[in-house]
Amino acid sequence: MSSSSTFMSSCSTSSPLSLHFKFKFKFPSISQPSSLSTVQFGAKSFRISSSTINCQISGKNRVCDINRRKGLLFTASLPFLLPFVEEFGAKAVESGGSNEYLIVKEEAAKVVSKGKAAGVLRLAFHDAGTFEIDDKSGGINGSIVFELERPENAGLKKSLKVLEKAKSQVDAIQPVSWADMIAVGGAVAVSVCGGPSIPVSLGRLDSMEPDPEGKLPEESLDANGLKRCFQRKGFSTQDLVALSGAHTLGSKGFGNPNVFDNSYFKILLDNPWKSSGGMSSMIGLPSDHALVEDDECLRWIRKYADNQNLFFEDFKKAYVKLVNSGARWKSL
């Protein structure tokens, strides 16, 4: 036997992106293997045999199984090596996730035109808006595909078909969940109409059944009812007002239906629905009208009417929060 033995380590993650890299470590040769030893560290699992070290992300403990006595020298060095392994893995996963996101975003952009943007954004709101903090039910999980016959989801079949085209293209390259496809689709709908660019993380899991009924905010709620409803979902009054700005898109009468801007708030301040007769009385929903009657909501409406950049920034944050609400994520 030679005076030294070479240990090769191969590391991989259980995420969709696999990472492989090697380290070489030399230890004095050993005439006899000793009994198996175990050392625990933290968040990763290391298994070391006489010739191989396998690194797997598998639970909350780092475990080192060593078949050679001198291999214990290697375990002593693991705390110093783990930061490198974690940093390398994290950057690679982040890079791979970014590439995956670009593919989903590009395919969504091919099918989400300005004329279809309002429906796609509404699809994202209705999939995510079922979340409730108390019972941890609902949320962004793709369950909307089972809920299209519900009255509150009328018209969303067309929007789902729009994204279905993009999803089929992405699936041909790499699988993507409906939850991810809808979350990214909504963000693309905003940007294609001139709104802010909203980065969306990927990795959501789909539900295999519909969410409970009656979880979406009702159009007839007054301001207090809306605030209580959004609080149950983990949103502040500011979030409520910012997200309501999405009604600037579509046929609700708030400015150009294909332009995402702060017209919604400017028109709310004019109270056009209070005019006698005409189309002005049909602008917005009762829930839109109710926001102006509440002092706390009115404060944010005025800010966003005066400062579109502020609205864009706050909407972006609130949207990310919305499409992460109740999400179940793939484990790394």
Side-chain angles (χ1 to χ4, degrees):
M1 181 176 291
S2 64
S3 61
S4 65
S5 300
T6 300
F7 285 76
M8 302 288 293
S9 75
S10 174
C11 292
S12 65
T13 72
S14 58
S15 64
L17 175 67
S18 295
L19 311 175
H20 299 282
F21 49 95
K22 294 181 177 180
F23 301 102
K24 290 185 179 180
F25 302 92
K26 292 189 176 182
F27 300 109
S29 60
I30 305 167
S31 58
Q32 290 183 345
S34 65
S35 60
L36 191 68
S37 300
T38 300
V39 180
Q40 294 186 345
F41 289 103
K44 286 183 170 56
S45 172
F46 282 79
R47 295 187 178 278
I48 306 173
S49 65
S50 59
S51 60
T52 303
I53 301 168
N54 295 319
C55 164
Q56 297 177 330
I57 298 177
S58 59
K60 296 182 178 180
N61 294 320
R62 295 174 186 142
V63 181
C64 301
D65 297 333
I66 305 161
N67 288 335
R68 298 187 181 221
R69 286 176 296 180
K70 296 299 183 179
L72 285 172
L73 294 173
F74 175 72
T75 66
S77 68
L78 278 177
F80 302 99
L81 294 171
L82 287 173
F84 167 78
V85 173
E86 290 172 349
E87 181 181 3
F88 180 89
K91 287 183 178 179
V93 170
E94 181 181 354
S95 174
S98 176
N99 291 336
E100 182 181 1
Y101 169 70
L102 289 177
I103 294 172
V104 178
K105 181 181 178 182
E106 288 172 3
E107 292 301 327
K110 292 177 183 178
V111 298
V112 180
S113 63
K114 289 185 177 181
K116 297 173 181 176
V120 172
L121 183 56
R122 179 169 168 250
L123 184 72
F125 271 59
H126 281 223
D127 191 38
T130 55
F131 178 63
E132 295 280 347
I133 291 178
D134 290 343
D135 57 10
K136 292 181 170 51
S137 65
I140 185 82
N141 55 18
S143 66
I144 191 74
V145 302
F146 305 112
E147 302 158 7
L148 296 174
E149 300 302 324
R150 295 178 181 178
E152 63 268 27
N153 294 329
L156 289 180
K157 283 184 180 180
K158 292 181 179 179
S159 301
L160 190 71
K161 286 183 178 179
V162 169
L163 288 186
E164 190 172 23
K165 296 177 183 178
K167 187 176 186 300
S168 65
Q169 294 298 314
V170 177
D171 283 337
I173 303 171
Q174 59 197 21
V176 61
S177 67
W178 266 118
D180 279 348
M181 194 73 244
I182 291 170
V184 174
V188 169
V190 171
S191 62
V192 77
C193 291
S197 177
I198 308 175
V200 176
S201 299
L202 300 184
R204 297 168 188 77
L205 297 174
D206 282 341
S207 173
M208 295 296 104
E209 60 184 11
D211 285 339
E213 295 191 52
K215 297 293 186 178
L216 291 175
E218 297 177 11
E219 297 176 359
S220 59
L221 289 175
D222 62 13
N224 285 330
L226 285 169
K227 289 195 289 186
R228 287 194 298 270
C229 178
F230 273 71
Q231 285 170 359
R232 291 195 299 270
K233 301 176 186 300
F235 294 95
S236 65
T237 299
Q238 179 184 359
D239 294 329
L240 161 63
V241 176
L243 289 172
S244 295
H247 287 175
T248 191
L249 292 182
S251 57
K252 296 179 179 65
F254 295 102
N256 188 321
N258 298 326
V259 175
F260 191 95
D261 57 18
N262 66 340
S263 294
Y264 173 81
F265 304 104
K266 294 179 179 179
I267 293 174
L268 279 183
L269 294 177
D270 291 337
N271 297 309
W273 52 89
K274 291 184 177 180
S275 62
S276 58
M279 296 298 293
S280 296
S281 62
M282 301 180 66
I283 291 177
L285 302 170
S287 56
D288 294 316
H289 308 166
L291 295 179
V292 193
E293 306 300 325
D294 180 84
D295 289 341
E296 187 179 9
C297 293
L298 183 59
R299 180 164 61 91
W300 288 108
I301 291 171
R302 285 174 173 157
K303 285 186 176 184
Y304 296 149
D306 291 338
N307 190 334
Q308 180 169 278
N309 289 334
L310 176 63
F311 163 53
F312 279 12
E313 188 63 29
D314 287 352
F315 180 87
K316 179 166 61 175
K317 294 175 183 176
Y319 182 84
V320 170
K321 187 175 179 180
L322 176 70
V323 297
N324 288 345
S325 295
R328 294 183 302 113
W329 301 90
K330 296 177 184 177
S331 58
L332 293 179

